[in-house]
Amino acid sequence: MYISLYRRYRPQTFSDMVGQSAAVGVLLESLREGSLGHAYLFSGPRGCGKTSAARLVAKSLDCSRRDDNCEPCGECENCRAIAAGEHLDVIEIDGASNRGIGEIRDLKSHVSLKALSAAYKVYIIDEVHMLTDAAFNALLKTLEEPPANVVFLLATTEPHKVPVTIRSRCQHIPFHRITIADTVARLKYVCLQENIAADDEAVWEIARQSDGALRDALSLTEQAVALGRGSLSVECVRDLTGGSSRSELEKWVAQLRTAPNEAAASLAGVMAHGVSPERLCEALFVLFRDLWLYSMWKEKALDALETSEAEKAYLAAESAFWDKEKLRAACALCNRLMPRAHYGMKGDVFSGLVYMGLLDILSGDVPRLVQPPAAPVPARAAPTAAPLYTQQERQVAAHRAPVQQEAPSLPPEVAQPEEDEPYIPFAPADLGEAYAAQERPVLAQAQAYDASELCARLGDNEFSRLIGKLDTDRLAIAAALLDAELCRSDGSLEVRFERPAPARNFLAIPKIRKALVAAAAKLWGIEAEGGEENKQAQSSASGNIFEEAAAPVKEAGRAAKQTEEETPEDEAHSLAAHVLRLAGAELLYVESDAADDEPDAEQI
């Protein structure tokens, strides 16, 4: 019966392992010192030698004539039985087919039995990540404390799917992709042993197409040899892979530069062979990357590139005709097209995008590949003169840079705060979209309030003059007024709010209203109704201050006014404190003074 190349040339000794020197070194040293662990987890990509290494460990443990270097002899009865997969004490389990708890229970029932004809019983579980959670849980105790003569060797391509409780009980040895140079050396050895005439360029192309998997490389070699009737040629490899070989793309890139009118037909011919847009995009990216690296560092870059002698000669000749920026732009073009090719794109659409993009690069139109800059933010028109000032304008003016410091390139809405001023983001979700969309800077320390400094920042307007008339410990009132609109008419002061807010309830506190009316009276001559009785009420520290002062401060909304008239003072204070607790971010309003009849900031 015919045996495939990858089975015939499976490594039979540790020295036959290709490209896994670190993993092999760990296993060999453990075997020499007699310190081999009871459980190992081998992880790595497909076809890199995980199962082969597990079989070699089993051979070394049970070989009756192994040498001093712990290499199995390969000739004794145990070695031959393990190589054929017939040894009764080396049990190979396919985790994808035997993934249930029943199979693991059978394993546990036999694991404590003595080995039949060897010194050790070795369990090799391939694709162990396919086991179910129940099977993993059933394996935990046995894997942690197996019998002295039992070794578990687990192999997987996806170690992140193995539970951490399993990984922590194993010694994890990672396997890596096999390099192109190591794959080429192994393929040449196999061709020499099989008397196969092989082109050097074809061997390098197979090594690239295998993507670090030696098993895939041997399988592709076997198919190409069958297609070539006993020989390995570039044409056979191209027919198998659907085009996009390195040599073919090298000729197309040179043709694109010298005869762009013929390059379109050549690219269509490459796509007609059946190559996927994703693979073609990756191959083009690697080619332009190699050209760019060679144009930057010449021969020094060859140490980082896995190329044949013919490919090195091509890089030296072709890089002289390409500018570094154009090569970099070509790599960027392939990078942008790669995700779209991965998720599906018609071949003619992909070839058209590649062809047009590379022609633009060759013509010197490199900036077209760069994302255009965002349109500048238009400056906001100056507000018309009006006695009312909106919330946003006052907030920006109060807490941004001073008026004398101009920022001509930025509108006031996006001007940056002073470096020495703290910037605290504020966007409570329950206060409307305007609050959530904008971060409001606030002063960090209420005790450091300076009316003159704040008014200087506000500029010359009625709002700033009103703030200047407040007492120096009334920063909370100033902060509350930032959310309001002020209007005075007929000797009265009106406070308006666009939407319900904690500031509205805060300004309804009697003593807060009295302080606001007093500041308005100083500025505009607005007197509280009640004459002498009002003056006596203002000097009084007890009683219903709102009823005695009778200040004509109005709020928008009949429900709020009715609440003010019907709610007693204590209930008003409790309601305001409750609203402020819910608001959270409005705590600035209760940091004014620690009066007995106001909510305490520490309590809130």
Side-chain angles (χ1 to χ4, degrees):
M1 180 180 177
Y2 179 78
I3 301 177
S4 299
L5 287 179
Y6 78 87
R7 292 181 59 191
R8 271 187 285 166
Y9 289 92
R10 183 188 293 271
Q12 300 300 318
T13 60
F14 285 107
S15 58
D16 288 342
M17 292 287 295
V18 177
Q20 305 295 343
S21 57
V24 170
V26 170
L27 295 173
L28 273 177
E29 193 63 27
S30 300
L31 288 169
R32 292 192 196 101
E33 297 179 358
S35 60
L36 190 73
H38 65 275
Y40 284 88
L41 176 63
F42 297 160
S43 66
R46 69 188 190 281
C48 64
K50 300 183 296 297
T51 306
S52 298
R55 290 184 178 180
L56 289 176
V57 172
K59 281 185 178 181
S60 180
L61 288 174
D62 293 335
C63 180
S64 58
R65 294 182 296 178
R66 73 178 186 183
D67 57 15
D68 296 337
N69 200 29
C70 294
E71 288 277 13
C73 67
E75 298 177 356
C76 66
E77 183 178 354
N78 287 338
C79 288
R80 285 188 278 107
I82 293 173
E86 300 172 351
H87 202 286
L88 297 178
D89 294 326
V90 179
I91 301 96
E92 295 192 27
I93 301 174
D94 180 16
S97 303
N98 305 276
R99 58 193 305 263
I101 190 173
E103 289 82 358
I104 300 302
R105 285 175 176 170
D106 292 341
L107 183 151
K108 291 176 62 179
S109 63
H110 294 89
V111 72
S112 59
L113 299 178
K114 186 179 179 181
L116 296 176
S117 60
Y120 287 89
K121 293 181 68 174
V122 181
Y123 287 89
I124 302 174
I125 305 179
D126 203 4
E127 300 299 331
V128 69
H129 66 273
M130 297 294 291
L131 296 182
T132 63
D133 292 339
F136 276 126
N137 292 332
L139 186 62
L140 282 178
K141 191 62 178 178
T142 303
L143 191 64
E144 183 177 11
E145 297 178 357
N149 64 333
V150 174
V151 175
F152 284 94
L153 302 175
L154 315 180
T156 178
T157 56
E158 301 182 49
H160 59 278
K161 291 185 178 180
V162 179
V164 66
T165 52
I166 296 291
R167 282 181 284 165
S168 64
R169 289 165 168 80
C170 303
Q171 295 188 35
H172 186 189
I173 298 181
F175 286 67
H176 307 287
R177 280 185 171 85
I178 302 175
T179 62
I180 294 179
D182 290 338
T183 304
V184 168
R186 186 65 176 178
L187 290 180
K188 288 182 177 180
Y189 170 78
V190 171
C191 291
L192 181 63
Q193 295 295 319
E194 296 291 327
N195 296 321
I196 298 174
D199 294 342
D200 187 69
E201 187 177 347
V203 173
W204 276 89
E205 187 60 34
I206 289 177
R208 285 195 189 88
Q209 296 288 339
S210 64
D211 193 24
L214 186 56
R215 181 174 60 227
D216 293 356
L218 289 172
S219 298
L220 187 59
T221 299
E222 194 170 16
Q223 298 174 50
V225 170
L227 186 62
R229 297 183 178 181
S231 62
L232 183 62
S233 62
V234 179
E235 290 75 13
C236 296
V237 176
R238 184 186 61 186
D239 292 341
L240 283 175
T241 59
S244 73
S245 64
R246 175 73 176 232
S247 59
E248 193 172 6
L249 291 181
E250 287 175 351
K251 295 177 183 178
W252 182 79
V253 169
Q255 186 182 40
L256 180 67
R257 177 178 50 83
T258 57
N261 55 336
E262 300 175 2
S266 300
L267 183 59
V270 171
M271 299 298 298
H273 278 87
V275 62
S276 64
E278 183 181 4
R279 180 173 290 275
L280 179 58
C281 192
E282 292 175 353
L284 281 174
F285 177 85
V286 172
L287 178 57
F288 284 118
R289 180 209 61 183
D290 293 349
L291 285 170
W292 179 76
L293 289 174
Y294 190 88
S295 65
M296 292 287 290
W297 294 288
K298 304 302 179 184
E299 284 76 10
K300 295 181 180 179
L302 295 178
D303 297 335
L305 305 178
E306 294 180 316
T307 53
S308 63
E309 295 299 328
E311 292 165 358
K312 292 177 182 178
Y314 172 81
L315 294 178
E318 186 67 22
S319 61
F321 300 99
W322 287 81
D323 183 71
K324 300 174 184 177
E325 293 301 323
K326 292 182 179 180
L327 291 172
R328 187 172 181 177
C331 291
L333 173 65
C334 296
N335 180 56
R336 288 200 310 274
L337 291 177
M338 205 172 297
R340 300 172 62 182
H342 175 72
Y343 288 106
M345 181 186 297
K346 294 182 64 175
D348 52 355
V349 175
F350 174 78
S351 60
L353 291 175
V354 170
Y355 181 73
M356 291 185 292
L358 292 178
L359 281 185
D360 288 343
I361 294 172
L362 283 173
S363 62
D365 197 4
V366 177
R368 290 179 59 181
L369 301 175
V370 182
Q371 188 71 16
V377 179
R380 201 172 97 178
T384 57
L388 298 181
Y389 291 85
T390 63
Q391 308 166 16
Q392 184 179 2
E393 292 168 349
R394 288 196 296 273
Q395 292 165 3
V396 172
H399 305 296
R400 298 296 185 185
V403 178
Q404 58 270 21
Q405 296 183 1
E406 298 181 358
S409 61
L410 292 176
E413 293 83 1
V414 296
Q416 299 296 325
E418 294 283 349
E419 294 183 358
D420 57 345
E421 292 183 12
Y423 184 79
I424 304 176
F426 176 83
D430 57 340
L431 296 185
E433 296 180 358
Y435 289 89
Q438 179 186 6
E439 291 183 349
R440 287 197 288 162
V442 296
L443 297 177
Q445 299 295 332
Q447 293 81 359
Y449 164 59
D450 186 353
S452 59
E453 180 182 355
L454 181 59
C455 291
R457 293 176 179 274
L458 292 173
D460 187 12
N461 54 59
E462 292 188 352
F463 178 75
S464 65
R465 289 194 291 271
L466 176 61
I467 297 302
K469 296 300 182 181
L470 290 171
D471 295 335
T472 57
D473 60 346
R474 293 293 183 176
L475 177 58
I477 300 179
L481 290 176
L482 289 175
D483 291 330
E485 293 181 348
L486 305 179
C487 181
R488 59 184 180 90
S489 61
D490 300 331
S492 64
L493 177 65
E494 185 176 358
V495 182
R496 298 177 181 174
F497 287 86
E498 295 181 359
R499 60 184 60 83
R504 178 177 180 176
N505 295 321
F506 175 72
L507 292 178
I509 297 175
K511 190 168 183 177
I512 301 301
R513 297 173 65 91
K514 183 181 71 173
L516 181 58
V517 171
K522 293 179 184 178
L523 179 59
W524 295 307
I526 299 177
E527 296 291 344
E529 299 178 1
E532 295 297 331
E533 296 179 359
N534 177 47
K535 295 179 181 180
Q536 295 175 4
Q538 291 181 6
S539 61
S540 174
S542 62
N544 194 330
I545 301 176
F546 174 72
E547 293 294 338
E548 293 174 359
V553 179
K554 303 177 182 178
E555 295 211 7
R558 182 176 301 174
K561 184 175 181 181
Q562 183 177 1
T563 303
E564 295 167 4
E565 294 176 354
E566 296 176 358
T567 305
E569 179 185 4
D570 295 339
E571 294 182 2
H573 293 173
S574 176
L575 177 60
H578 178 67
V579 172
L580 291 174
R581 288 192 191 95
L582 295 178
E586 299 287 345
L587 291 180
L588 180 62
Y589 298 150
V590 294
E591 293 180 0
S592 55
D593 52 20
D596 295 337
D597 55 349
E598 296 184 31
D600 192 354
E602 297 180 357
Q603 296 176 358
I604 294 176

